[in-house]
């Protein structure tokens, strides 16, 4: 008897795929190809994007007039170890640092930039180191960025916050203080105050005073002083008052707070 007579062959049944199964397989195959292509494209673009990130730094003699204006890069103001003002930045937009008639200006130049998700974004910042000296004029303006500031002092101080936040560790203002908040958040501690104004549209402003502060509330303003709702008493603000206007936002003021 031949060997082939002892071997039984079975036919392998091949199941015919339905149209839906074919489409599902094609869908997953195309998805895998697209994912690989996107990863390769992202690596190429990210490398080119990182090469366009801008860096800069400089040191300047102390000036009594300082203006810092940013759009979307966080700002960190700390104490300098010497008598100079040190500025450095990492950004995907231009940052101008220049002196103008004795004034030092740090300005992030607004521009249209399509931001990609890259690790470089976590290092975007403007760092400013200030000596422990009072300014004649100090202007801190932010649009959608966050401002973190150490203790500063000045005769005329203006703080503007559109939709970002401003956190001032300690502020001494011996002249006129101007606070302007749109829809952002401002938090500060004031140990010296002479007079000024606070305008808040729809944001949140929290201020702690080291001493008593004569506050004048405008009509329709939402303000809480030492935890109690304060209302307008019809007085007009004088030079040594803090005139508060906040139609829709929230203002919280605490006085005699020690730190």
């Amino acid at each position: 008897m031949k060997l082939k007579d002892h071997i039984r062959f079975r036919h392998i049944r091949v199941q015919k795929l339905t149209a839906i199964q074919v489409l599902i397989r094609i869908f997953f195959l195309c998805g895998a190809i697209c994912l690989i292509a996107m990863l390769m494209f992202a690596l190429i673009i990210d490398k080119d994007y990182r090469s366009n990130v801008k860096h800069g730094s400089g040191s300047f003699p102390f000036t009594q007039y300082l203006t810092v204006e940013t759009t979307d890069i966080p700002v960190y103001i700390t104490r300098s170890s010497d008598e100079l003002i040190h500025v450095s930045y990492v950004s995907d937009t231009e940052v101008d640092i220049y002196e103008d008639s004795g004034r030092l200006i740090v300005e992030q130049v607004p521009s249209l930039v399509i931001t990609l998700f890259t690790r470089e974004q976590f290092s975007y910042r403007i760092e400013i180191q200030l000596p422990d000296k009072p300014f004649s004029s100090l202007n801190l303006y932010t649009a959608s960025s966050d401002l973190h500031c150490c203790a500063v002092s000045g005769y005329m101080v203006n703080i503007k916050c559109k939709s970002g936040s401003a956190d001032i560790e300690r502020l001494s203002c011996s002249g006129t203080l101007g606070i302007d908040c749109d829809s952002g958040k401002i938090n500060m501690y004031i140990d010296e105050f002479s007079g000024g104004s606070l305008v808040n549209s729809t944001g949140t402003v929290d201020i702690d005073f080291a001493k008593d502060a004569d506050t004048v509330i405008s009509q329709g303003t939402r303000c809480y002083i030492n935890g109690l709702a304060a209302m307008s008493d019809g007085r007009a603000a004088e030079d040594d008052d803090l005139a508060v206007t906040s139609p829709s936002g929230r203002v919280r003021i605490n006085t005699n707070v020690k730190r």
Side-chain angles (χ1 to χ4, degrees), residues 60-250:
F60 306 87
F62 177 76
T63 173
Q64 294 186 348
Y65 304 92
L66 174 64
T67 296
V68 179
E69 187 168 359
T70 62
T71 53
D72 58 358
I73 296 179
V75 180
Y76 297 88
I77 300 178
T78 58
R79 182 67 63 230
S80 175
S81 60
D82 52 30
E83 299 299 311
L84 299 178
I85 297 177
H86 305 280
V87 183
S88 63
Y89 67 87
V90 179
S91 171
D92 57 351
T93 62
E94 293 290 345
V95 176
D96 287 342
I97 310 171
Y98 59 95
E99 294 179 280
D100 183 15
S101 302
R103 300 174 181 270
L104 180 60
I105 300 175
V106 181
E107 178 184 14
Q108 181 190 358
V109 181
S111 60
L112 179 60
V113 176
I114 300 176
T115 303
L116 300 177
F117 181 79
T118 172
R119 288 177 295 179
E120 286 290 324
Q121 286 180 285
F122 297 103
S123 62
Y124 291 167
R125 62 178 56 203
I126 298 176
E127 295 184 349
I128 303 174
Q129 298 179 19
L130 302 178
D132 190 10
K133 293 184 177 181
F135 290 89
S136 294
S137 174
L138 177 62
N139 303 301
L140 304 175
Y141 305 147
T142 70
S144 60
S145 60
D146 296 332
L147 169 68
H148 306 272
C149 183
C150 65
V152 290
S153 61
Y155 179 74
M156 295 184 63
V157 180
N158 292 294
I159 300 170
K160 294 183 180 180
C161 179
K162 189 171 179 63
S163 60
S165 67
D167 192 350
I168 315 295
E169 178 183 330
R170 185 181 295 265
L171 174 65
S172 297
C173 182
S174 57
T176 304
L177 173 63
I179 302 173
D180 191 346
C181 181
D182 191 352
S183 59
K185 183 177 181 180
I186 296 178
N187 183 21
M188 68 175 67
Y189 177 80
I190 301 177
D191 59 5
E192 183 179 355
F193 173 75
S194 178
S197 63
L198 188 162
V199 179
N200 178 39
S201 296
T202 60
T204 300
V205 179
D206 293 334
I207 300 179
D208 291 336
F209 284 93
K211 303 176 182 178
D212 287 327
D214 195 359
T215 306
V216 176
I217 311 298
S218 64
Q219 291 285 349
T221 290
R222 298 176 58 190
C223 181
Y224 298 87
I225 300 178
N226 293 328
L228 300 177
M231 301 179 64
S232 172
D233 57 6
R235 287 188 302 143
E238 299 181 1
D239 293 339
D240 58 349
D241 295 330
L242 177 65
V244 180
T245 303
S246 179
S248 300
R250 186 184 75 96

